[in-house]
Amino acid sequence: MATKRPLVLAPDVEGLDTASSLLRNGALVAIPTETVYGLGGNATSDEAVAAIFEAKGRPAFNPLIIHFASEETVWDHVIPNNVSRKLAGAFWPGPLTMVLPRRKTSSVSLLASAGLDTLAVRVPAHPVGHQLLDVVGLPIAAPSANRSGCISPTTPAHVVDSLGERIAAVVDGGACHIGLESTVVAVLDDRIVLLRPGSITREALGSVVNRVDHVTAHTDNQDAPPSPGMLERHYAPQTDIRLNAKPDDLKPGEVLLGFGPGLTENTPDGSKNLSETGDLREAAANLFAMMRDLDALGASGIAVVTIPDTGLGIAINDRLRRAATPEKP
Ligand code: TXA
Ligand code: MG
């Protein structure tokens, strides 16, 4: 049997309609941007975002960039200030990503932002990518459309080679003319911090904003940007987390975060199950929302059962370990 290949869709009305229905149905579609091809999924669907991480084969849930058709739609999800409005005016549509405070009302999946209170947003300039975002009318989460650890793709053929049948389709927008991921900045009051260099240079940013700071801290992951000391990089619950707990052996005051069948009437009130059926994709989709819900209970601890350390379970366990051992400041 021949290996299943993703559809390669032409950048015409029919192709964009097909891509749009696939995205609306939760499927993954690679989309052209002026920087690199993005592995796109509906950013408002926890399941679609979990599928992105699964297709990437990323060992960790790094927050993803959310792509929009226009500046106006961006402001529905994040809170702008004067500096972000100036940067948007100067560089959007284009290869600039801004990390901004997320609105409480935003429908973007918590998994897409790895549980953070910020969102990374951008409005791409590629005519085809831009048109697709306009037609689909949804925020689209998209990391570069390659398997983790591989080179970022700048043609549909690169995407197909790297991701194959892990995605439903790729929209053919030709070769990406920049070929380097977008510049990422965090906007803090009247200054910005450069989190990832890109084709919009520090000098170009400096012509719009008074102060551009560099990130100084370490990096602990090749896929991740250097960790900015002043920015919250990982979602950290207030409640203590205990890993590899046995559901029938909880400490007083603990609530349970389960996986697979086995929560009973003896399980403390408020406890949650990441996936009744033991489905890792469903568990990933539920992870951040359930951690937040459990954290809000004010319990003495959150006891988490053992999660299989395979596939998406590796990223889930990475996140749970970080939550259980808070990082030193
Ligand atoms: O050019 C690009 O930016 C491509 C195209 C497809 O748009 N996308 C891309 O996405 O490179 P990705 O997921 O590979 O990179 C996202 C970057 C990472 O460095 C991530 O850590 C950072 O943005 N990021 C995302 N959300 C963040 C947040 N809330 N706070 C800090 N950094 C964030
Ligand atoms: Mg990448």
Side-chain angles (χ1 to χ4, degrees), residues 56 58 143-146 150 152 181 196 223:
K56 280 283 288 183
R58 252 187 198 173
S144 53
N146 54 277
C150 303
S152 294
E181 280 95 339
R196 181 175 75 181
D223 253 358

Side-chain angles (χ1 to χ4, degrees), residues 214-284:
H214 264 305
V215 159
T216 44
H218 67 289
T219 176
D220 57 355
N221 177 329
Q222 297 237 307
D223 253 358
S227 169
M230 67 288 256
L231 288 175
E232 182 193 28
R233 183 151 128 61
H234 294 299
Y235 165 64
Q238 300 292 306
T239 315
D240 287 341
I241 308 266
R242 185 166 67 87
L243 302 180
N244 297 315
K246 300 268 175 288
D248 51 3
D249 191 20
L250 298 186
K251 299 182 179 165
E254 276 186 338
V255 286
L256 185 73
L257 183 60
F259 176 80
L263 264 61
T264 65
E265 60 274 22
N266 298 327
T267 308
D269 287 348
S271 295
K272 299 268 178 194
N273 196 333
L274 288 167
S275 170
E276 213 47 76
T277 59
D279 175 352
L280 287 167
R281 190 189 288 187
E282 184 185 12

Side-chain angles (χ1 to χ4, degrees), residues 6-267:
L7 292 170
V8 178
L9 299 170
D12 54 18
V13 173
E14 199 191 330
L16 295 184
D17 275 351
T18 305
S20 166
S21 341
L22 285 167
L23 286 166
R24 292 181 154 276
N25 287 318
L28 304 183
V29 177
I31 60 173
T33 82
E34 71 279 27
T35 58
V36 299
Y37 274 78
L39 169 48
N42 177 358
T44 68
S45 159
D46 290 321
E47 288 279 327
V49 174
I52 292 176
F53 285 108
E54 194 171 45
K56 280 283 288 183
R58 252 187 198 173
F61 296 131
N62 294 326
L64 304 176
I65 296 173
I66 315 301
H67 300 68
F68 296 85
S70 68
E71 185 185 329
E72 294 68 51
T73 49
V74 171
W75 305 142
D76 291 342
H77 294 267
V78 290
I79 304 166
N81 67 8
N82 285 341
V83 170
S84 42
R85 284 188 191 278
K86 269 209 264 181
L87 288 169
F91 299 112
W92 281 352
L96 178 71
T97 296
M98 286 194 262
V99 174
L100 296 172
R102 171 192 178 113
R103 286 194 195 276
K104 291 229 159 26
T105 51
S106 171
S107 52
V108 170
S109 154
L110 277 177
L111 180 61
S113 55
L116 297 174
D117 293 322
T118 50
L119 278 186
V121 292
R122 94 172 180 98
V123 179
H126 193 292
V128 176
H130 189 267
Q131 232 184 316
L132 175 58
L133 289 166
D134 203 32
V135 174
V136 72
L138 287 168
I140 297 295
S144 53
N146 54 277
R147 293 277 287 170
S148 190
C150 303
I151 291 171
S152 294
T154 53
T155 65
H158 292 167
V159 175
V160 173
D161 286 349
S162 189
L163 292 168
E165 78 283 7
R166 290 184 180 88
I167 54 173
V170 50
V171 177
D172 187 352
C176 305
H177 79 272
I178 296 180
L180 176 71
E181 280 95 339
S182 61
T183 303
V184 181
V185 300
V187 180
L188 304 167
D189 303 323
D190 60 338
R191 68 200 173 89
I192 63 174
V193 181
L194 186 59
L195 298 180
R196 181 175 75 181
S199 63
I200 293 180
T201 61
R202 196 194 159 104
E203 289 67 38
L205 293 164
S207 69
V208 177
V209 181
N210 293 331
R211 207 173 130 194
V212 184
D213 288 345
H214 264 305
V215 159
T216 44
H218 67 289
T219 176
D220 57 355
N221 177 329
Q222 297 237 307
D223 253 358
S227 169
M230 67 288 256
L231 288 175
E232 182 193 28
R233 183 151 128 61
H234 294 299
Y235 165 64
Q238 300 292 306
T239 315
D240 287 341
I241 308 266
R242 185 166 67 87
L243 302 180
N244 297 315
K246 300 268 175 288
D248 51 3
D249 191 20
L250 298 186
K251 299 182 179 165
E254 276 186 338
V255 286
L256 185 73
L257 183 60
F259 176 80
L263 264 61
T264 65
E265 60 274 22
N266 298 327
T267 308

Side-chain angles (χ1 to χ4, degrees), residues 304-316:
V304 187
V305 302
T306 303
I307 316 276
D309 211 30
T310 56
L312 277 179
I314 297 172
I316 295 173

